Amino acid sequence: MILTVTLNTALDLTYRVPALVPHASHRITQVIERPGGKGLNVARVLAALGYETVATGFAGGATGATLRDLLAETPVRDELVETAGPTRRTVAVVDTASGDTTQLNEPGPTVTAAEWTGFRTRFTRLLDGAAAVALCGSLPPGIHVGAYAELVRLARTAGVPVLLDTSGEPLRRGIAARPDLVKPNAEELAQLTGAREPHRATRDARRRGAHAVISSLGPEGLLAATPEGLWRATPPAAVKGNPTGAGDSAVAGLLSGLVDKTPWPDRLTRAVALSAATVLSPVAGEFDPTAYEDLLPRVTVTEVGGAA
């Protein structure tokens, strides 16, 4: 079983419009609702790949109830903890003429001390039997900035490999707790290390405590600093579409590779192909299976340095 954690879940709304024009009224041609937040996107992709997946985190209010109803329609097992505050919404407006997407994200609910204690209890229980855990996304109000570091330590104590995908101070503190893998993007890496050159920033991030660091370079693929070497993985060509959830699909590819114990080049190939196939999907946070199978043999992975 693979466990994913989404402390700041969301009800994802995708609006499609013929063209997005500032200061104008728009007629929406399609509305799609999905359970969202980074960890839930990861869980949905893992389930689509055939992995037994459990999702935990927080959900509350009418929005949270809708999210859980939608999650029940997927193979992902719901272990979300109820909050008094309502789950947030995120809105992706897709301009069908250009393929560009505009994202609007609400803040999350304030989580109480009692709710956090209840979550910790459930998380500790779920670690028993987990093959790996992913800690994903932002922290909602009310949760202390060292929460991910705390969860990393709990996972390590239980002997469960842990992947961390967050940013800012939660990333800084979380990486010091020595997760097995972190997956920041280039801007998050620059904020963490002060370096903007990708190779240097990725190596510097790894020296801060993570076993391996996978840097997302957007449409240019991934850069991985691992104990076995420094790797670069690139898609065959830039893809255009809705990038919402593409990074989460990459996390699913990396996490499934960790569970399967596949070599690094194969893990990175899977992650890049899933990410690109998600951009090509018409629905936020889902991947196009046909595109994924087509992209897999065409991803290029090269070793660009020795052990990091």
Side-chain angles (χ1 to χ4, degrees), residues 19-26 95:
L20 184 59
V21 181
H23 315 299
S25 297
H26 295 80
D95 182 325

Side-chain angles (χ1 to χ4, degrees), residues 15-31:
Y15 294 158
R16 300 182 71 85
V17 298
L20 184 59
V21 181
H23 315 299
S25 297
H26 295 80
R27 187 174 298 278
I28 298 170
T29 59
Q30 185 182 34
V31 180

Side-chain angles (χ1 to χ4, degrees), residues 270-297:
R270 186 183 301 179
V272 168
L274 280 170
S275 180
T278 300
V279 174
L280 293 171
S281 172
V283 179
E286 295 189 2
F287 71 95
D288 183 322
T290 301
Y292 171 59
E293 294 297 335
D294 176 66
L295 287 161
L296 265 177

Side-chain angles (χ1 to χ4, degrees), residues 126-264:
L126 291 170
L127 286 174
D128 185 17
V133 58
L135 310 174
C136 302
S138 60
L139 298 178
I143 295 184
H144 65 95
V145 74
Y148 279 135
E150 184 179 347
L151 299 181
V152 169
R153 287 191 289 268
L154 286 172
R156 286 178 56 81
T157 298
V160 179
V162 56
L163 181 153
L164 176 63
D165 183 15
T166 188
S167 60
E169 191 61 22
L171 173 61
R172 188 181 304 278
R173 298 198 186 193
I175 201 171
R178 305 186 66 80
D180 294 85
L181 192 91
V182 295
K183 195 210 71 63
N185 60 35
E187 183 58 33
E188 291 162 351
L189 263 185
Q191 292 176 3
L192 176 68
T193 66
R196 290 201 170 270
E197 197 285 314
H199 291 72
R200 177 182 174 185
T202 304
R203 288 180 185 270
D204 285 355
R206 184 168 180 266
R207 294 188 186 103
R208 291 171 182 262
H211 186 70
V213 175
I214 314 301
S215 172
S216 172
L217 305 178
E220 297 178 8
L222 298 173
L223 183 66
T226 78
E228 290 79 17
L230 190 67
W231 306 86
R232 178 72 180 270
T234 56
V239 294
K240 198 161 189 177
N242 184 354
T244 304
D248 305 328
S249 290
V251 168
L254 294 168
L255 199 61
S256 63
L258 175 66
V259 169
D260 295 341
K261 296 181 170 59
T262 58
W264 273 108

